[in-house]
Amino acid sequence: YTVCDTPLWALSSVISKDPHERTLVVTLGKIGGMIGAVAITVGGIQLLLAFGGERNTDAYLYSAIIIAVIAAITIFLAGMNSKERVTPSPEKIPFRRNLQTIYKNKPLLTLLSALLIINLVIGIRQSIQLYYVIYVWGDASYVSQLGMSLVVGMLLGMIITPKLLRVFSQKNVFIVSCLLGSLSCLVPYLSGDGNITITLVLFAVSFFFSGVTTIVSTSMLLDTIDYSEWKLGFRGEGIVFSTHTFVTKFSGAVSRLIIGASLGLLNYVENQPATANLQQGLSFVMFVLPALCFVAAVIPILFYKLNNTQKNQMLIELETTRAL
């Protein structure tokens, strides 16, 4: 998956010279990924039932084959039908020099730091939600409603982001989204009224802002590749996106570490009645920790200095250099 994922997203950096077109491509890709995840979540059980049910081992084999074939065909079509419009340099870049794309690219370093933190918002909530609905709301069936709130919120945030970026700078959109996302996390915790419907709505609102940060950060990531070409003389798309994938995976691991440590501190015991301390602690992890992550992600992005004026000048100089 990673071998496919890295060049797929690296392709988005050379599919167009126009930053707005690239943002649109990224948005469509992220929306497609979200729809794919929903399709598997909803349709996976239907496949199992069609081949004999979730306790039939052959059902998993046949379902996996169907999903794998569909995935392979669509990935193949994406590669065959996509066109690179940014001509790569004929120069072969040694791996050691390629690493400069990371440690000599200050905008990329600040962005990766922010991504490591902002990814914790989704990771923590997805890892804790089952415990929360069982021990605080008392009904595991609410997981599906939480999942729907996440999907709806993320999709709406992703859809609206390209329009926001035509009016406001990436940096400002990211910062404001983080602050409003933090606020939407804190409101249900501070209100303490326990209204499930309102909490689900605010959950969707917070993930709306997560959707915005997802698209904005990827758009900024594409700009850091242009910055690498401008400053270092080569783009390094592959290593940028492989590092981005590593940061995403590492953030997921940190999320699970936080959940494990939190459950230990709360003296969680499986299948035991929920205590007031456990319920309060789970609410803290569900709402306050993501709110803190939203705010913390703003700190490194404050040092992201690649503004619209600099980007436009940089693109003009790159076009001149590529034409030589």
Side-chain angles (χ1 to χ4, degrees):
Y1 169 79
T2 303
V3 171
C4 292
D5 187 61
T6 299
L8 176 65
W9 290 110
L11 183 63
S12 65
S13 70
V14 294
I15 207 165
S16 174
K17 298 176 182 179
D18 185 342
H20 293 299
E21 286 186 358
R22 292 188 312 202
T23 299
L24 180 59
V25 169
V26 167
T27 302
L28 293 173
K30 294 291 185 180
I31 290 174
M34 182 67 65
I35 293 173
V38 173
I40 293 299
T41 302
V42 175
I45 188 64
Q46 300 303 320
L47 274 177
L48 293 176
L49 293 175
F51 291 115
E54 71 274 12
R55 295 186 180 277
N56 187 320
T57 55
D58 286 340
Y60 287 91
L61 173 62
Y62 299 143
S63 298
I65 290 173
I66 290 174
I67 293 169
V69 169
I70 293 173
I73 291 172
T74 52
I75 291 172
F76 179 79
L77 289 175
M80 292 299 294
N81 293 294
S82 299
K83 181 179 179 181
E84 297 183 30
R85 294 173 176 82
V86 178
T87 305
S89 170
E91 180 185 3
K92 299 294 183 181
I93 307 298
F95 180 72
R96 181 176 295 181
R97 187 182 170 200
N98 218 342
L99 289 175
Q100 296 178 7
T101 310
I102 305 299
Y103 64 83
K104 287 191 175 182
N105 192 328
K106 291 182 180 179
L108 177 62
L109 288 175
T110 57
L111 182 60
L112 290 176
S113 300
L115 284 171
L116 178 62
I117 300 170
I118 201 68
N119 285 335
L120 293 176
V121 174
I122 298 176
I124 288 174
R125 286 191 142 180
Q126 286 184 324
S127 300
I128 201 66
Q129 64 182 8
L130 182 60
Y131 298 96
Y132 180 82
V133 298
I134 290 175
Y135 292 101
V136 179
W137 287 352
D139 189 347
S141 65
Y142 280 117
V143 169
S144 59
Q145 282 93 320
L146 277 175
M148 187 57 65
S149 296
L150 183 154
V151 170
V152 171
M154 288 283 287
L155 283 176
L156 290 176
M158 290 177 178
I159 290 170
I160 199 173
T161 304
K163 296 180 180 179
L164 291 176
L165 293 180
R166 288 187 176 275
V167 181
F168 306 104
S169 71
Q170 296 163 318
K171 183 175 180 178
N172 288 340
V173 171
F174 188 93
I175 291 173
V176 172
S177 296
C178 284
L179 296 178
L180 293 177
S182 178
L183 182 62
S184 61
C185 288
L186 286 175
V187 169
Y189 180 81
L190 296 176
S191 63
D193 60 7
N195 187 301
I196 293 176
T197 302
I198 293 176
T199 301
L200 286 171
V201 171
L202 289 171
F203 194 82
V205 170
S206 67
F207 272 103
F208 170 88
F209 293 113
S210 290
V212 173
T213 59
T214 297
I215 299 301
V216 173
S217 59
T218 309
S219 178
M220 296 166 81
L221 197 69
L222 297 176
D223 290 337
T224 65
I225 294 173
D226 285 337
Y227 179 85
S228 175
E229 182 182 5
W230 176 73
K231 183 176 178 62
L232 303 175
F234 58 93
R235 296 179 64 78
E237 304 99 327
I239 199 166
V240 168
F241 277 97
S242 61
T243 305
H244 174 250
T245 300
F246 170 77
V247 167
T248 301
K249 305 295 185 187
F250 184 73
S251 183
V254 172
S255 299
R256 285 154 183 78
L257 177 65
I258 291 173
I259 298 305
S262 299
L263 293 175
L265 291 172
L266 294 171
N267 298 314
Y268 165 77
V269 179
E270 189 174 359
N271 296 324
Q272 294 298 311
T275 63
N277 181 62
L278 177 63
Q279 291 180 326
Q280 183 69 17
L282 291 174
S283 295
F284 182 88
V285 175
M286 184 71 163
F287 298 109
V288 179
L289 283 187
L292 294 175
C293 290
F294 264 126
V295 174
V298 172
I299 298 173
I301 218 68
L302 291 174
F303 298 93
Y304 184 87
K305 302 300 183 182
L306 200 56
N307 58 40
N308 288 338
T309 302
Q310 291 173 313
K311 284 195 302 179
N312 291 334
Q313 181 61 36
M314 182 176 68
L315 290 174
I316 292 172
E317 293 181 17
L318 285 175
E319 282 297 303
T320 302
T321 303
R322 290 167 186 162
L324 295 178

